[in-house]
Amino acid sequence: MESEMGDLESQVHGSSSDGGDDLSPSIFRSANRPVTLKFEDVMYKIKVKEGERWPCGKKPLAEERMILKGISGTVLPGEMLAMLGPSGSGKTTLLTALGGRLGRRLDGNITYNDKPFSNVMKRNTGFVTQDDVLYPHLTVTETLVYTALLRLPNTFTKQEKITHAETVIAQLGLTKCKSSIIGDELLRGISGGERKRVSIGQEMLINPSLLFLDEPTSGLDSTTAQRIVSTLWELTNGGRTIVMTIHQPSSRLFYMFHKVLLLSDGNPLYFGKGDQVMDYFSSVGYSPSVAMNPSDFLLDLANGVSDNKGQDPAQVKQALVTAYKSNIAGNLKVETQKLSRQFEENKLDNKQSSRWTTTWWQQFSVLLQRGLKERRHEAFSALRITQVLVVALICGLLWWKSKNFQDRIGLLFFYTGFWSFFPVFQAIFTFPQERSMLTKERSSGMYRLSAYFISRIVGDLPMELVLPTAFLTITYWMAGLKPSLVNFFETLFVLLYSVVAAQGLGLALGALVMDLKAATTLGSVLLLTFLLSGGYYVTQVPKFISWIKYISLTQYSFKLLVSSQYKADETYDCGANMNCIVGSHPMVKSVGMDNIAFAIVALGLMVVGYRLIAYAALTRIGVTKQ
């Protein structure tokens, strides 16, 4: 695997970065398939949870809250629509709905070339979220190359995909930072504007006909924002359809938008050409008293603020909603009907295609390589290694060349306890931390969930097994356990087997709960319960609660560890000139040394079963409802 990763890096750095390779046309070329976006009377409701309040502390009057209230519009190829409105006006919800990523409780009609959302449409749609969801330890080049390998179809060769990524890097002005890591809040990397361009570049790799962007200029200075919007404006020249939400653009940005949609509390107040918006509001009695940025004026109106005396905010909003229905809604309906008739006459083809552009094995291989690159810093961090080595040395010193049988049994039980807690709490963080990335990439149709899951499991195994191997190697010989290599490797096998099972439990808890605090608490309770019923602390467990041992990871691991060191009829020194049978020792007797095969099978079922639970839990997220 390392050689494959090295080959990939050499291919990346050896490919063209000047955008002139014929294999990878410019990102500003024409769209593969021009798309006309049409939405009619889009409404969206959510259930109001008990105790939830509306803005300003008002108590909800109904069980459902209307987020979008009958919004209509059209965006043609070569047009850029900007959706404006104050926070909570429904901009992001509408963008998500138009991008085919919002399912339940959505009413109305959204079509793409007069057809519903489909696999073909998903292949031609890019979606850039407000938060740049990127892996912090990957470089700009690695981020875009791995995306290209996953998203571009097999009509491209591997080298063509890499070259394509390099071209996008050059044309988005990312060449200077191509070898820099992305970074995050705790890790210094590229700038915010560069991160945003990387996010846009990930979507431009597929040459989308329809591009959605949620607040692409959020948190950026005016110059950087201007550069990004200018890039998007150039993309429309290739026949692309672009829709974005934007909070408060400058005057320079505002007049680059072909169309503007103004929202207030889920109601449309304006839909039309950007250069006609000021004339429209003047015609309905609302005009600024002084020259000002159009977006500032529109946001004031959306908040119910106007220069008209005697009108409170609620009156202003209601008047604008009424004006919209009287002056714009009818014209929009006529326009959408006209477009529908045109599509019926042209009968544009909407043939279905395969849901996936790459094979399962390709997805697994790329995800495995990417995962190993990203997580090696975390898996082999100095803190984590130091933690394990320090505990191993302390254990080795405490049990130094121990001759006492009970002490040795205690060490075996400590192995069981420590290497249950450690892998469980490492694995719990796996899926909650990657939820945003999984949702983003799965919604884009980048890969199968099974390919992601298996690559994650396989990639984590070497990292998760190195530390327990080092731990046992140190403590085993320091504590003076049986020096036979057979006994050592049996003990190592059992320990690693139990680590894999414990890791599965952590994965299942994290995927089921998806809340780190709650998952950690639940994991602690479960492991402590297993630990107490494991046969070491309580040798006579009451019958009404003894059933716990049959689902206890600790109990089976302890049984197998004892069996790796001792035989049931073996004797040990239990006093002055006295020898006792191992199988009769209370702690050994409580777990038993029979049914070893059953214990092995039980742990095997946990290894598989916990992972199946985790996989089933993951199917709830990251899938677009079509």
Side-chain angles (χ1 to χ4, degrees):
M1 184 57 66
E2 288 294 332
S3 62
E4 288 182 11
M5 291 164 63
D7 291 342
L8 176 60
E9 288 183 353
S10 63
Q11 287 174 321
V12 168
H13 296 298
S15 60
S16 172
S17 61
D18 60 5
D21 198 311
D22 291 336
L23 294 175
S24 184
S26 167
I27 65 170
F28 300 111
R29 66 192 187 278
S30 299
N32 289 326
R33 177 185 179 149
V35 172
T36 296
L37 173 64
K38 184 178 66 173
F39 47 103
E40 302 172 89
D41 296 321
V42 175
M43 294 183 287
Y44 182 66
K45 303 174 184 177
I46 61 170
K47 283 187 176 181
V48 179
K49 298 179 181 178
E50 186 177 352
E52 183 179 349
R53 293 183 176 273
W54 285 69
C56 303
K58 294 180 180 179
K59 196 171 183 179
L61 300 177
E63 293 183 356
E64 291 184 330
R65 178 180 174 187
M66 188 75 77
I67 304 298
L68 302 176
K69 303 173 183 177
I71 302 173
S72 300
T74 60
V75 195
L76 305 179
E79 291 184 339
M80 181 162 56
L81 168 67
M83 298 192 291
L84 282 75
S87 299
S89 61
K91 303 188 303 292
T92 298
T93 303
L94 178 59
L95 188 80
T96 306
L98 297 179
R101 301 187 175 205
L102 198 61
R104 297 166 295 179
R105 297 182 175 272
L106 180 66
D107 296 320
N109 188 32
I110 303 175
T111 60
Y112 314 79
N113 288 343
D114 217 39
K115 301 291 182 181
F117 197 73
S118 63
N119 288 332
V120 173
M121 197 62 248
K122 181 185 280 191
R123 289 285 165 268
N124 287 279
T125 300
F127 198 108
V128 181
T129 58
Q130 180 175 353
D131 297 323
D132 300 313
V133 183
L134 302 166
Y135 282 114
H137 291 98
L138 297 182
T139 65
V140 170
T141 297
E142 289 169 345
T143 298
L144 290 171
V145 166
Y146 285 127
T147 303
L149 293 175
L150 288 168
R151 297 192 70 176
L152 291 177
N154 283 337
T155 52
F156 291 84
T157 66
K158 182 178 180 180
Q159 186 56 50
E160 287 173 348
K161 293 179 181 182
I162 293 172
T163 304
H164 198 156
E166 282 284 310
T167 302
V168 170
I169 288 171
Q171 293 175 337
L172 286 177
L174 295 169
T175 303
K176 291 182 179 179
C177 64
K178 61 183 290 187
S179 299
S180 301
I181 62 171
I182 300 296
D184 57 16
E185 296 83 359
L186 302 177
L187 183 66
R188 185 174 181 179
I190 60 178
S191 68
E194 289 167 338
R195 286 170 62 90
K196 182 60 64 179
R197 277 180 278 162
V198 171
S199 295
I200 294 173
Q202 285 186 307
E203 302 306 316
M204 293 313 303
L205 282 168
I206 62 170
N207 187 27
S209 301
L210 180 58
L211 181 61
F212 296 95
L213 304 101
D214 190 10
E215 300 279 3
T217 61
S218 177
L220 304 180
D221 61 83
S222 59
T223 303
T224 304
Q226 172 77 17
R227 184 180 297 121
I228 287 175
V229 175
S230 296
T231 300
L232 296 173
W233 186 86
E234 288 185 63
L235 293 174
T236 62
N237 293 332
R240 291 184 181 82
T241 305
I242 296 181
V243 182
M244 72 171 72
T245 65
I246 193 163
H247 184 64
Q248 204 162 5
S250 66
S251 297
R252 287 192 303 171
L253 296 187
F254 184 86
Y255 286 110
M256 297 179 73
F257 305 137
H258 300 96
K259 288 182 177 178
V260 170
L261 171 61
L262 179 63
L263 296 175
S264 175
D265 298 331
N267 290 300
L269 303 185
Y270 176 80
F271 182 88
K273 294 182 178 180
D275 56 8
Q276 296 177 1
V277 64
M278 300 300 285
D279 292 337
Y280 167 76
F281 283 109
S282 294
S283 69
V284 296
Y286 294 92
S287 57
S289 57
V290 296
M292 62 188 302
N293 181 349
S295 64
D296 293 338
F297 174 65
L298 296 183
L299 285 176
D300 284 346
L301 292 180
N303 283 306
V305 178
S306 77
D307 293 333
N308 295 352
K309 296 181 180 180
Q311 282 189 312
D312 64 23
Q315 289 178 320
V316 173
K317 292 178 182 180
Q318 186 56 48
L320 292 173
V321 170
T322 302
Y324 173 88
K325 292 178 179 178
S326 300
N327 299 292
I328 298 178
N331 294 333
L332 266 180
K333 189 171 184 180
V334 172
E335 182 182 346
T336 55
Q337 290 175 347
K338 182 180 179 181
L339 282 173
S340 296
R341 287 194 296 270
Q342 290 176 355
F343 281 112
E344 286 178 7
E345 293 171 1
N346 295 333
K347 293 183 179 180
L348 289 180
D349 182 31
N350 191 45
K351 63 181 180 180
Q352 292 293 318
S353 68
S354 172
R355 185 178 180 186
W356 309 109
T357 57
T358 52
T359 66
W360 187 95
W361 181 254
Q362 286 175 307
Q363 294 170 9
F364 167 79
S365 300
V366 174
L367 290 169
L368 181 59
Q369 291 179 41
R370 187 181 72 173
L372 289 173
K373 272 185 171 290
E374 170 61 25
R375 294 192 300 278
R376 62 186 176 183
H377 307 277
E378 176 186 348
F380 297 114
S381 66
L383 179 62
R384 192 175 180 188
I385 294 173
T386 302
Q387 178 185 0
V388 171
L389 292 181
V390 168
V391 175
L393 289 173
I394 292 174
C395 288
L397 294 174
L398 286 174
W399 273 278
W400 179 260
K401 301 300 181 182
S402 175
K403 300 295 184 182
N404 185 281
F405 177 76
Q406 182 162 326
D407 286 350
R408 291 188 174 188
I409 293 295
L411 175 60
L412 296 178
F413 192 76
F414 178 79
Y415 285 162
T416 301
F418 183 76
W419 288 108
S420 294
F421 275 87
F422 195 85
V424 163
F425 287 110
Q426 292 294 327
I428 276 177
F429 287 81
T430 299
F431 297 124
Q433 287 181 335
E434 292 216 344
R435 180 173 186 170
S436 298
M437 181 66 72
L438 182 60
T439 301
K440 169 192 168 184
E441 295 184 335
R442 287 273 292 149
S443 295
S444 299
M446 283 180 66
Y447 47 73
R448 299 166 177 84
L449 180 60
S450 58
Y452 164 80
F453 187 80
I454 299 299
S455 72
R456 188 70 209 245
I457 299 303
V458 173
D460 283 349
L461 275 180
M463 302 179 184
E464 296 296 333
L465 298 183
V466 167
L467 289 179
T469 300
F471 184 94
L472 182 69
T473 303
I474 293 171
T475 57
Y476 190 94
W477 305 107
M478 290 180 71
L481 295 176
K482 288 193 173 181
S484 166
L485 286 178
V486 173
N487 292 109
F488 171 76
F489 283 112
E490 283 184 8
T491 306
L492 178 61
F493 170 78
V494 172
L495 183 64
L496 297 182
Y497 196 30
S498 64
V499 165
V500 174
Q503 184 192 30
L505 175 59
L507 293 173
L509 291 174
L512 283 170
V513 180
M514 279 295 176
D515 178 270
L516 290 178
K517 187 175 182 180
T520 302
T521 302
L522 180 59
S524 299
V525 172
L526 283 175
L527 288 177
L528 286 173
T529 303
F530 292 163
L531 204 65
L532 292 174
S533 63
Y536 185 82
Y537 295 114
V538 182
T539 56
Q540 298 294 327
V541 179
K543 289 185 178 180
F544 68 88
I545 201 173
S546 61
W547 57 269
I548 293 178
K549 68 181 181 180
Y550 295 109
I551 61 171
S552 172
L553 169 70
T554 306
Q555 198 260 359
Y556 293 119
S557 299
F558 184 42
K559 176 197 284 282
L560 292 176
L561 281 173
V562 172
S563 299
S564 71
Q565 287 290 306
Y566 302 101
K567 304 295 182 184
D569 57 356
E570 195 173 340
T571 61
Y572 65 93
D573 185 6
C574 57
N577 298 321
M578 291 181 60
N579 289 322
C580 299
I581 298 175
V582 168
S584 64
H585 189 280
M587 294 175 187
V588 177
K589 191 175 182 180
S590 65
V591 296
M593 297 188 69
D594 54 349
N595 296 325
I596 299 302
F598 179 80
I600 294 174
V601 171
L603 276 181
L605 291 175
M606 292 180 185
V607 169
V608 176
Y610 286 142
R611 284 167 171 77
L612 290 177
I613 293 173
Y615 182 83
L618 288 180
T619 58
R620 301 174 302 171
I621 65 172
V623 179
T624 303
K625 302 294 182 184
Q626 296 188 16

